[in-house]
Amino acid sequence: MSANDDAVKKIMRDIKAIKIQGARNVAVAGARVLMLVAQGSQAKSSRDFVSELRRVSREVVALRPTEPALRFGQELIVSRVASRKGIPVGELRKYAVSVCRHYVSETRKMLDVIAQYGARLISDGDVVMTHCHSHCVVEIFRLAKRQGKDFSVIVTETRPLFQGKITARELLREKIPVVYCVDSASASLMKDATKVLVGADAVTAGGDVVNKIGTYQIAIEAREYKVPFIVACGTHKYDAKTAFGFPEPIEERARAEVVGKGKLSGAKVVNPAFDVTPKEYVYEIVTEAGVFSPETLVSVLVSRGKKGGDLSAC
Ligand code: RUB
């Protein structure tokens, strides 16, 4: 077994265990897996090499079912490489590595542009509620703070895995004031909020937003208090398959994450990782292509026939 095999297995374990989390980071980690596979491949022909990439890619995608950005990134990389399978295997491996690198750097650029659009929406005096840990959301807050804006953030803990703590720590590092609360306090604290800003794992063809479980209830509370509910995500999270009647799959995770070590025999424990916020609750979606209502975003993407910005130019 090569050092690359170990590294691949570790990344895959970390994605599954949500040590690597957030749609964007999961997609980038998936590209790193393909890069490591390309670097360490012993395939004797370009054809075998492409089959190897395809096999690993299928395993990567299965790790987090509710991740169109991961699927899109994997399809993009593998299809680019497959399109050149006429060249010698050594060259093809190098090409695969360069495609993966390009993907990672374009994903970073996408995040920076989202932060620029999003930071414009943050004003002095804002009290913004967020849920879970989204790199897009944290980057927006980070940039707004660096632009000198004076605002604070209410962060929900995000049971069962407490990703809210990651958000809180990252914001505190930027000296952004944080109020940290249990998920069930969100309705009580909504009266203090001027905006809600969350990330997304998927946007459906109907304009609905899939994000960490608990997002939908926050959207309902925001509507009750007339607080704008804003979503930040790259267009690579748009799941075009939902236009053809395929629902976005919702990842169901282990009951132990909810119940812990103690027993709860007799109870059916459910642990969906994500929920769906209908578009009616969403005020706007901040993307690298601009800021749109959910319907407009979908029609812009459909009319352009392209998502993922410059990722497609790998
Ligand atoms: C994370 C989560 C995030 C989105 C967007 O869930 O729901 O809000 O993935 O994140 P999990 P990003 O912890 O289960 O991965 O903006 O980083 O893409």
Side-chain angles (χ1 to χ4, degrees), residues 151-156 164 167-173 175-181:
F151 61 97
S152 62
V153 182
I154 300 170
V155 181
T156 50
T167 304
R169 286 195 192 109
E170 290 183 355
L171 299 183
L172 290 169
R173 228 174 277 141
K175 309 227 173 326
I176 297 169
V178 167
V179 172
Y180 183 75
C181 63

Side-chain angles (χ1 to χ4, degrees), residues 176-211:
I176 297 169
V178 167
V179 172
Y180 183 75
C181 63
V182 294
D183 297 323
S184 42
S186 59
S188 307
L189 296 187
M190 191 58 79
K191 64 177 184 338
D192 303 327
T194 55
K195 288 179 179 104
V196 173
L197 179 61
V198 294
D201 290 271
V203 176
T204 71
D208 302 335
V209 170
V210 182
N211 192 48

Side-chain angles (χ1 to χ4, degrees), residues 70-254:
L70 174 66
R71 294 198 287 274
F72 175 67
Q74 296 285 301
E75 275 161 26
L76 192 69
I77 294 166
V78 175
S79 63
R80 286 286 183 281
V81 176
S83 73
R84 294 215 186 165
K85 68 177 172 221
I87 65 176
V89 65
E91 277 177 44
L92 193 61
R93 284 176 46 208
K94 281 192 200 136
Y95 174 67
V97 171
S98 76
V99 172
C100 294
R101 287 214 172 104
H102 180 82
Y103 175 84
V104 173
S105 78
E106 286 304 324
T107 312
R108 175 68 234 182
K109 284 188 206 155
M110 184 189 268
L111 186 60
D112 291 340
V113 179
I114 292 170
Q116 280 160 24
Y117 280 119
R120 291 187 200 161
L121 306 177
I122 308 288
S123 311
D124 281 338
D126 263 342
V127 178
V128 189
M129 184 179 286
T130 192
H131 184 58
C132 197
H133 175 252
S134 151
H135 299 86
C136 295
V137 168
V138 169
E139 281 304 304
I140 289 172
F141 288 145
R142 197 174 273 146
L143 183 60
K145 179 69 183 181
R146 287 178 188 179
Q147 290 171 343
K149 291 182 182 167
D150 182 15
F151 61 97
S152 62
V153 182
I154 300 170
V155 181
T156 50
E157 61 177 357
T158 317
R159 284 273 296 147
L161 297 180
F162 302 99
Q163 290 96 324
K165 257 189 205 163
I166 310 173
T167 304
R169 286 195 192 109
E170 290 183 355
L171 299 183
L172 290 169
R173 228 174 277 141
E174 296 294 321
K175 309 227 173 326
I176 297 169
V178 167
V179 172
Y180 183 75
C181 63
V182 294
D183 297 323
S184 42
S186 59
S188 307
L189 296 187
M190 191 58 79
K191 64 177 184 338
D192 303 327
T194 55
K195 288 179 179 104
V196 173
L197 179 61
V198 294
D201 290 271
V203 176
T204 71
D208 302 335
V209 170
V210 182
N211 192 48
K212 179 54 55 188
I213 191 79
T215 302
Y216 181 25
Q217 71 202 39
I218 291 176
I220 293 170
E221 294 155 8
R223 179 186 248 197
E224 182 69 21
Y225 282 87
K226 300 189 171 37
V227 174
F229 179 91
I230 304 167
V231 175
C233 71
T235 58
H236 57 156
K237 295 175 179 174
Y238 173 64
D239 189 348
K241 277 194 185 149
T242 54
F244 303 102
F246 295 97
E248 188 60 42
I250 300 292
E251 177 183 354
E252 181 68 29
R253 296 190 57 87

